[in-house]
Each structure stands twice: as structure tokens, then as C-alpha cells.
Amino acid sequence: MSRDQPTYLIPKRFIIVGLCAVTFANCYADRSNIVFMSMDFGWSSTTQGLVLSAFFVGYLTPKY
């Protein structure tokens, strides 16, 4: 192992875990704001259900 490789204060796996946590929090925030958006835009419960189901279908699709 060469000594030219940089050393990091935070291991890369912790950075990845932190970024994943931020991503999941962002997805939850988007999903929970659907209720308030439906009040602002005057969506019916059917439209609100379609938007929420689009989130879940998006979670199920594989990301390559």
C-alpha cells in the first residue's frame, strides 16, 4: 500500500449512509406534503390517491 493515498476524517461508508438518510428524509417530506398540496390546488381524494400511488410505483421501479 502506498503512502500517497489520502486519509479522510470521515470514512466513505459513513458519508454514503448519511446521504441515503438525507434522501429518505426528502422522499418522506415530499410524500407528506401531498396533503397540503391537495388543499392548495383543490385536488379530490381520487387525485390525491393517484399522486400518492405514483410515489409508491416510483419506489418499486428498479434504478440502474
Side-chain angles (χ1 to χ4, degrees), residues 1-51:
M1 195 169 205
S2 76
R3 293 183 170 257
D4 295 335
Q5 293 180 347
T7 57
Y8 299 103
L9 294 175
I10 301 173
K12 290 182 182 180
R13 65 177 172 245
F14 291 152
I15 293 171
I16 298 295
V17 168
L19 289 173
C20 288
V22 168
T23 302
F24 282 121
N26 189 20
C27 287
Y28 179 75
D30 285 342
R31 213 175 1 148
S32 62
N33 283 330
I34 296 293
V35 175
F36 299 110
M37 287 174 56
S38 67
M39 287 187 272
D40 289 341
F41 294 123
W43 291 346
S44 66
S45 61
T46 303
T47 305
Q48 185 178 353
L50 287 172
V51 172

